[in-house]
Amino acid sequence: MDHDGRITIKDIAKETNLSIATVSRVLANTGEHNGETVKKVQNAAIKMGYIKNTSAVELVQRTSHVIAVIVSNTKSNFSDSIISAIEDQAVQNNLDVFILHAGHADEVSQERAIKTVSERAVKGIILVSLELNDHILQLLKEAGISCVCLSTSVKNSVFPFVTSDNFKMGYAATDFLIKKGHKKIGIAGIPADGSISQRIAGYSQCMQDHNLQIKKAWIQYGDCTYDDGVQAMKNYREQEPITAVICASDFVGVGLMNTATKMGIKVPVQLNIISFDGTNLVDIVRPRITSVTQQFYAMGTEGIDFILKKRSFTSKYLPFKIVERESTSSIN
Amino acid sequence: MDHDGRITIKDIAKETNLSIATVSRVLANTGEHNGETVKKVQNAAIKMGYIKNTSAVELVQRTSHVIAVIVSNTKSNFSDSIISAIEDQAVQNNLDVFILHAGHADEVSQERAIKTVSERAVKGIILVSLELNDHILQLLKEAGISCVCLSTSVKNSVFPFVTSDNFKMGYAATDFLIKKGHKKIGIAGIPADGSISQRIAGYSQCMQDHNLQIKKAWIQYGDCTYDDGVQAMKNYREQEPITAVICASDFVGVGLMNTATKMGIKVPVQLNIISFDGTNLVDIVRPRITSVTQQFYAMGTEGIDFILKKRSFTSKYLPFKIVERESTSSIN
């Protein structure tokens, strides 16, 4: 036994008077051995409580039952829905799900996570909400494992992806507010780079299509956090008042709304708020926040279907919808 | 190559004119081979892009760098802090973390998760917020892997655990409200069984110590969800009005508060609310909720320290504290 009290191949070798290499090969089902040797090793393994070496068998047979999900460790709450869908489907297909966290656009932690899973036997890798650079994409390609990206698009479509069209969502949120009579519309908490920055492009295009000028201070960059919402609201008040704001995430929306309320600005009477995502958070705060609701659960289902090759698959944008709640109202 | 386009041991054997068994042994570093054979296999493996078979090496050497975290899939938000702590420590110790979900008190899914990790090479298993029955405890014992339970206690201390003392937390929350002048105090959303049911025992003891009677309707059972808070509030209003309520989780607290507000009951003027956990949720709702705040991040750190055997270890209850916010006030 090793220092943890676990039975090792060495213990079985000692018990059976066989070499470690032979025991290893018998248990991993490689090489050829006579039936008596196989039986001897197997009996000892069972008797001694040696845990079946699933990884090794899987590595030889390439039939892993594990789906690896690498998910952004950015504090977002929508990934819960994506993971729920993956797990629901996994159980139905007798697969196991391992979840690993990695930084949103953090090459070191992404590389580490990818190496961790690709050096083991996995049936496929589902990447959730990660911005991948060329080096990481190359690493994934070299791993030769089925890969799909959810909630982000992929440059040059090296891998299939399932997400919502960020440009269209930005455009739709802006159009929704303009139709309510707003002209001074801000956008808050969105990073300047990466696929979700396209929401700003959609916002800009919609403003332009309605002949509305955008002031520089109306665009408040951030990283989708609650604190970004707090900071954006402070900046709006100091720099350039707006009557409506599009928030990068539900967290940004709540942070911005709480800060506005603290300043004595009434939502929605004096300020309209709409947030991207539409997770359960927008329903449990008061007032409830109007959202551009994405189909996160469906993204998870699509992702695992791709790994299982259930049907022909191309990258796609899933439909989104605007769900109106209490944080928006028409300007009279 | 297999159908996924991955290079296998078979491909390397073909390339090098060696047997599959030899290639397997060389790559797994078992058996003895002359330097030329080793070099031949290694060169081919590198040239062909064969991914190093870490699992097999780990299984032979019993030196896995993976910590498996099996976490309740009950919708709770405190496990995020525990997992963050584990991941922060893991990076510093050059370890990888795999997360798996299992039901809170669901034997089938727990057994599945434990088998999945124990059949592979893992350095240790950290169980978060799972209620384990005797069968599951036996299974874990048989796996012979280092195990620690966080956020639940373990019957007969078969494994070490780190959690908060549920009886004491229940007592302290009740005492806090009694000191504010409350006599009609409810407790909502707590399961009748399992370690957190001890919060009800602590509540009962404190009420008794203050010579206060408990009406049956004041105890509203549940499963720590937002909807349990909604339902409990409806039941209180119909059955037995209270002036203060202790909530099983932050989610229960928010659900109960929103429902009270909808009924026209003002928090804290007409109803005091205190919730267990004290996650970021209690700070982002309005009014902010007073909480019995647990040290979740510290639980994660203690858990991984145990796996790394950094110091002598016994099961322990971490201190908690009551953080007063806007949902409680004294009765004049």
Side-chain angles (χ1 to χ4, degrees):
Chain A
M1 292 196 293
D2 72 354
H3 64 286
D4 281 341
R6 268 187 93 153
I7 299 296
T8 67
I9 290 173
K10 215 166 151 184
D11 300 315
I12 297 170
K14 208 171 167 188
E15 173 79 14
T16 54
N17 276 324
L18 293 165
S19 74
I20 293 174
T22 301
V23 171
S24 170
R25 270 175 284 153
V26 169
L27 289 171
N29 203 22
T30 57
E32 285 183 11
H33 302 278
N34 69 48
E36 206 171 305
T37 305
V38 172
K39 204 154 194 176
K40 204 169 166 186
V41 171
Q42 285 176 343
N43 284 347
I46 291 163
K47 198 185 86 187
M48 298 170 77
Y50 179 81
I51 302 294
K52 192 180 154 227
N53 181 337
T54 303
S55 296
V57 173
E58 285 174 350
L59 278 161
V60 172
Q61 299 180 347
R62 296 283 178 226
T63 56
S64 172
H65 290 283
V66 173
I67 307 276
V69 180
I70 304 178
V71 57
S72 169
N73 61 8
T74 310
K75 293 290 170 235
S76 67
N77 53 340
F78 63 78
S79 56
D80 291 352
S81 289
I82 295 178
I83 292 169
S84 284
I86 293 169
E87 288 176 338
D88 290 349
Q89 291 298 310
V91 166
Q92 286 180 39
N93 289 280
N94 202 30
L95 296 169
D96 299 305
V97 176
F98 281 167
I99 302 158
L100 288 88
H101 285 129
H104 183 59
D106 169 4
E107 185 174 312
V108 174
S109 71
Q110 288 180 2
E111 183 167 341
R112 186 186 170 91
I114 290 161
K115 283 194 171 162
T116 299
V117 300
S118 63
E119 286 178 355
R120 289 169 179 78
V122 294
K123 196 176 187 68
I125 302 175
I126 300 178
L127 299 118
V128 178
S129 193
L130 296 175
E131 295 286 347
L132 309 171
N133 66 20
D134 290 338
H135 171 68
I136 296 294
L137 288 171
Q138 185 60 28
L139 204 71
L140 279 167
K141 260 176 84 174
E142 282 169 6
I145 304 169
S146 290
C147 273
V148 61
C149 291
L150 305 181
S151 185
T152 40
S153 49
V154 181
K155 260 202 297 186
N156 311 321
S157 290
V158 182
F159 293 107
F161 61 83
V162 186
T163 185
S164 311
D165 187 317
N166 285 294
F167 182 91
K168 282 188 183 166
M169 285 198 295
Y171 196 102
T174 313
D175 193 58
F176 172 84
L177 292 169
I178 292 172
K179 290 211 169 95
K180 293 213 169 284
H182 295 280
K183 288 184 170 66
K184 294 174 166 188
I185 301 169
I187 186 161
I190 296 181
D193 299 312
S195 53
I196 75 167
S197 69
Q198 282 299 308
R199 292 172 188 176
I200 300 174
Y203 154 82
S204 302
Q205 185 65 51
C206 185
M207 293 292 272
Q208 196 182 313
D209 289 353
H210 287 83
N211 296 312
L212 294 171
Q213 296 285 321
I214 298 170
K215 295 203 179 174
K216 206 181 162 199
W218 292 358
I219 302 175
Q220 292 288 327
Y221 297 98
D223 204 24
C224 301
T225 68
Y226 181 91
D227 288 341
D228 290 330
V230 173
Q231 195 52 53
M233 190 62 228
K234 288 178 182 168
N235 293 346
Y236 285 137
R237 193 187 208 185
E238 280 175 21
Q239 297 172 27
E240 193 61 57
I242 38 138
T243 67
V245 59
I246 300 162
C247 293
S249 71
D250 296 336
F251 274 119
V252 172
V254 179
L256 194 138
M257 183 166 77
N258 285 345
T259 310
T261 305
K262 196 177 168 188
M263 291 171 172
I265 298 167
K266 288 194 171 63
V267 175
V269 183
Q270 295 164 281
L271 182 68
N272 272 212
I273 295 172
I274 182 168
S275 71
F276 291 106
D277 291 351
T279 64
N280 66 345
L281 192 61
V282 296
D283 268 321
I284 73 178
V285 293
R286 296 292 175 269
R288 291 179 176 88
I289 298 178
T290 296
S291 66
V292 182
T293 298
Q294 302 189 62
Q295 295 189 39
F296 295 114
Y297 192 90
M299 282 182 205
T301 307
E302 294 270 350
I304 199 159
D305 277 4
F306 167 74
I307 301 294
L308 296 173
K309 310 275 186 234
K310 277 201 167 167
R311 47 191 152 102
S312 67
F313 197 90
T314 45
S315 292
K316 68 180 85 175
Y317 294 110
L318 296 185
F320 57 87
K321 62 180 174 187
I322 292 179
V323 179
E324 189 159 11
R325 297 189 182 82
E326 301 156 2
S327 66
T328 47
S329 61
S330 293
I331 289 186
N332 295 317
Chain B
M1 291 196 293
D2 73 353
H3 64 287
D4 280 339
R6 264 186 97 153
I7 299 296
T8 66
I9 290 173
K10 216 167 150 183
D11 300 315
I12 297 170
K14 209 173 165 187
E15 174 76 15
T16 54
N17 276 324
L18 294 165
S19 74
I20 293 174
T22 301
V23 171
S24 170
R25 270 174 286 154
V26 169
L27 289 171
N29 203 22
T30 59
E32 286 180 10
H33 303 278
N34 69 50
E36 205 172 306
T37 305
V38 172
K39 204 155 194 178
K40 202 169 168 185
V41 170
Q42 285 176 344
N43 285 345
I46 292 162
K47 197 185 86 186
M48 297 171 79
Y50 177 81
I51 302 294
K52 192 178 155 229
N53 182 335
T54 303
S55 296
V57 173
E58 286 173 348
L59 277 161
V60 172
Q61 301 179 345
R62 294 283 178 228
T63 56
S64 173
H65 290 282
V66 172
I67 307 276
V69 180
I70 305 179
V71 56
S72 168
N73 61 8
T74 309
K75 293 290 170 235
S76 68
N77 53 339
F78 63 78
S79 56
D80 291 350
S81 289
I82 296 178
I83 292 169
S84 285
I86 293 169
E87 288 176 339
D88 290 349
Q89 291 299 311
V91 166
Q92 285 178 39
N93 289 280
N94 202 30
L95 297 168
D96 299 305
V97 176
F98 282 167
I99 302 159
L100 289 87
H101 284 129
H104 184 60
D106 169 4
E107 184 175 312
V108 174
S109 71
Q110 288 180 4
E111 183 167 341
R112 185 187 171 91
I114 290 161
K115 283 194 171 163
T116 299
V117 300
S118 62
E119 287 178 355
R120 290 171 178 77
V122 294
K123 193 172 189 68
I125 302 176
I126 301 178
L127 299 116
V128 179
S129 193
L130 295 174
E131 295 285 347
L132 309 171
N133 65 21
D134 291 338
H135 170 67
I136 296 294
L137 288 172
Q138 186 59 30
L139 204 70
L140 278 168
K141 261 175 82 173
E142 283 168 6
I145 304 169
S146 288
C147 272
V148 60
C149 292
L150 305 181
S151 184
T152 40
S153 49
V154 180
K155 262 201 295 186
N156 309 323
S157 290
V158 182
F159 294 107
F161 61 83
V162 186
T163 185
S164 311
D165 187 317
N166 285 293
F167 182 91
K168 283 188 183 166
M169 286 198 294
Y171 197 101
T174 313
D175 193 56
F176 173 85
L177 292 169
I178 292 172
K179 291 211 168 96
K180 292 213 170 283
H182 294 279
K183 289 184 169 67
K184 296 175 164 187
I185 301 168
I187 188 162
I190 296 182
D193 300 314
S195 53
I196 74 167
S197 70
Q198 281 302 306
R199 294 173 187 175
I200 300 174
Y203 153 83
S204 302
Q205 185 65 51
C206 186
M207 292 293 272
Q208 197 182 310
D209 288 353
H210 287 82
N211 296 311
L212 294 171
Q213 296 285 322
I214 298 170
K215 296 205 177 174
K216 206 181 162 196
W218 292 357
I219 301 174
Q220 292 288 327
Y221 297 99
D223 204 23
C224 302
T225 69
Y226 182 91
D227 287 342
D228 290 331
V230 173
Q231 194 54 51
M233 190 63 230
K234 287 178 182 168
N235 293 345
Y236 285 135
R237 193 188 208 183
E238 280 174 20
Q239 295 174 29
E240 192 61 58
I242 38 138
T243 68
V245 60
I246 300 162
C247 294
S249 71
D250 296 336
F251 274 121
V252 172
V254 179
L256 193 136
M257 183 167 76
N258 285 344
T259 309
T261 304
K262 197 177 167 187
M263 290 170 171
I265 298 166
K266 289 194 171 64
V267 176
V269 184
Q270 295 163 283
L271 182 68
N272 272 212
I273 295 172
I274 184 169
S275 70
F276 292 107
D277 291 350
T279 64
N280 66 345
L281 192 61
V282 296
D283 268 321
I284 72 177
V285 293
R286 296 291 176 269
R288 291 180 176 88
I289 298 177
T290 296
S291 65
V292 182
T293 298
Q294 301 189 63
Q295 296 190 38
F296 295 114
Y297 192 90
M299 283 182 206
T301 307
E302 294 270 351
I304 199 158
D305 276 4
F306 168 74
I307 300 294
L308 296 173
K309 311 271 186 235
K310 279 202 166 167
R311 48 191 151 106
S312 68
F313 196 91
T314 44
S315 293
K316 68 179 84 174
Y317 294 109
L318 296 185
F320 57 85
K321 61 179 174 188
I322 292 181
V323 179
E324 188 159 15
R325 298 189 183 82
E326 302 157 0
S327 67
T328 48
S329 60
S330 292
I331 289 185
N332 295 318

